[in-house]
Amino acid sequence: MENNNIPFYIAAILTFLSLKFGYRLMSSESLIWLLKPVSLMVEAITGARSVYLPEGAYYFKQLNVVIDKSCSGFNFWLLCFLMLNGLAINNYHTIIQKTGVLLTSLFVAYLFTLFVNSCRIITSIAISNFNLNLIIDVDITHQSIGVATNLTFLIIIYLTTNHILIKKQNAKYI
């Protein structure tokens, strides 16, 4: 860890903590920037239509599924942001580049979160169609799918980003 990276690590951690504590105060309505795109992707893939509820949730009547604050993927977004930022910060040297890494990490993590969250919800819907809930508790099934999906995709984005950064670094020395 380079000493000149410490302010940027601190900035990333402070960003993480402020967003994490802010999340506790947020309603589903204030997370519309995460919920609506995911709802639209689920609609596109399943063909089912959602209805926006006044509480800030999306309800899929055909699927009997509600996408609300607990399904927003906010925590995944924060973890993905920290991971991407931590991976990339050592590969850049100027203050502008390092600031760009911080902002880019937030944005890339956001886009990736929308994709992963949609996959997680669609996987949950597909598995619930197999009536596994008769064998396994619904909450356990839902949580297990979330953990497996999020962990799998975090590993994938870590390996992919690390590979890209190593290639970029090796290209400098050629």
Side-chain angles (χ1 to χ4, degrees), residues 9 11 19 29-30 34 61 63 74 82 90 95 101 109 136 139-140 148 159 164 166-167 170 174:
Y9 287 124
L19 289 169
E29 289 176 331
S30 60
L34 278 169
K61 185 176 182 178
L63 305 170
F74 192 88
L82 270 184
N90 289 325
I95 290 172
V101 166
I136 305 170
D139 290 334
I140 292 172
L159 293 173
I164 291 167
I166 288 170
K167 263 183 122 167
N170 289 340
I174 295 177

Side-chain angles (χ1 to χ4, degrees), residues 29-126:
E29 289 176 331
S30 60
L31 292 169
I32 203 78
W33 53 277
L34 278 169
L35 298 173
K36 185 172 184 169
V38 168
S39 175
L40 292 172
M41 285 190 248
V42 171
E43 282 184 4
I45 292 168
T46 64
R49 295 289 165 235
S50 67
V51 175
Y52 182 73
L53 303 176
E55 307 85 48
Y58 288 89
Y59 175 62
F60 290 82
K61 185 176 182 178
Q62 284 177 274
L63 305 170
N64 195 28
V65 170
V66 175
I67 301 175
D68 62 7
K69 182 178 179 178
S70 66
C71 299
S72 69
F74 192 88
N75 290 319
F76 179 86
W77 174 56
L78 292 180
L79 287 173
C80 192
F81 154 67
L82 270 184
M83 184 187 66
L84 290 172
N85 189 73
L87 269 173
I89 202 76
N90 289 325
N91 292 284
Y92 298 91
H93 304 289
T94 68
I95 290 172
I96 292 172
Q97 288 175 329
K98 290 176 188 274
T99 303
V101 166
L102 185 81
L103 298 173
T104 302
S105 296
L106 274 169
F107 183 69
V108 170
Y110 169 72
L111 294 177
F112 197 65
T113 297
L114 296 178
F115 172 74
V116 171
N117 209 24
S118 299
C119 290
R120 182 183 57 80
I121 291 168
I122 290 163
T123 301
S124 292
I125 292 167

